[in-house]
């Protein structure tokens, strides 16, 4: 009896552990992200901050993306996403993303904050900060 109870307990623990899935970073990327701040290529007298509801959105779903400007769809396609450790503009990024046009960008993803780096700011690049909607 003791042996069958121990076996049952071990089996229960194994099933419990196996059923718990950790959220992958790609799962965290999925969803809608709205632009809140743009650094680089600043235009004089133009605020780099964006208010909620501005319509500048990135949507990710599995390996597909959509990009909206002022609420209008301007680009769709596919992407690949992978962990990558490097530093861009003094920020330790944790992933790279390659869009269908082979354009590789780096990103920092943590919780509901996403910073997408297009090149280096000193060389006319940008850092776009998004929040998850």
């Amino acid at each position: 009896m003791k042996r069958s109870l121990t076996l049952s307990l071990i089996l229960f623990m194994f099933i419990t552990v196996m059923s718990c899935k950790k959220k992958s970073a790609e799962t965290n990327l999925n969803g809608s992200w709205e632009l809140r701040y743009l650094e680089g290529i600043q235009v004089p007298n133009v605020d780099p901050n964006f208010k909620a509801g501005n319509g500048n959105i990135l949507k990710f779903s599995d390996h597909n993306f959509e990009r909206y400007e002022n609420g209008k769809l301007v680009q769709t396609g596919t992407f690949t996403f992978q962990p990558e450790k490097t530093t861009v503009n003094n920020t330790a990024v944790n992933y790279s993303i390659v869009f269908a046009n082979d354009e590789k960008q780096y990103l920092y993803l943590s919780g509901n904050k996403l910073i997408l780096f297009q090149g280096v700011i000193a060389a006319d690049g940008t850092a776009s900060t998004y929040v998850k909607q």
Side-chain angles (χ1 to χ4, degrees):
M1 177 76 168
K2 186 176 180 181
R3 181 183 162 119
S4 96
L5 182 60
T6 303
L7 218 53
S8 295
L9 184 59
I10 290 172
L11 182 61
F12 175 75
M13 289 174 53
F14 178 74
I15 291 170
T16 302
V17 169
M18 293 305 291
S19 67
C20 293
K21 289 185 177 179
K22 291 184 179 178
K23 259 186 154 178
S24 71
E26 196 160 344
T27 301
N28 290 339
L29 182 65
N30 284 338
S32 294
W33 298 84
E34 188 173 46
L35 182 65
R36 287 294 193 271
Y37 181 75
L38 178 63
E39 185 177 4
I41 65 167
Q42 256 54 49
V43 177
N45 301 318
V46 175
D47 190 0
N49 297 293
F50 292 80
K51 294 179 181 178
N54 63 64
N56 295 301
I57 297 170
L58 283 175
K59 288 185 181 179
F60 296 99
S61 176
D62 297 320
H63 292 281
N64 299 304
F65 77 94
E66 297 175 347
R67 186 169 61 89
Y68 295 81
E69 288 179 2
N70 300 317
K72 294 182 181 176
L73 181 64
V74 294
Q75 185 180 16
T76 62
T78 59
F79 70 92
T80 57
F81 179 76
Q82 64 186 28
E84 188 163 336
K85 305 278 186 205
T86 190
T87 301
V88 180
N89 302 324
N90 296 321
T91 300
V93 299
N94 47 5
Y95 299 96
S96 66
I97 187 166
V98 178
F99 293 99
N101 61 0
D102 293 329
E103 179 186 2
K104 181 177 182 178
Q105 297 180 19
Y106 294 99
L107 59 92
Y108 170 79
L109 177 63
S110 179
N112 65 350
K113 181 179 182 181
L114 170 104
I115 303 174
L116 187 61
F117 297 93
Q118 293 178 293
V120 177
I121 290 175
D124 293 333
T126 61
S128 305
T129 301
Y130 292 84
V131 294
K132 198 161 200 173
Q133 293 186 301

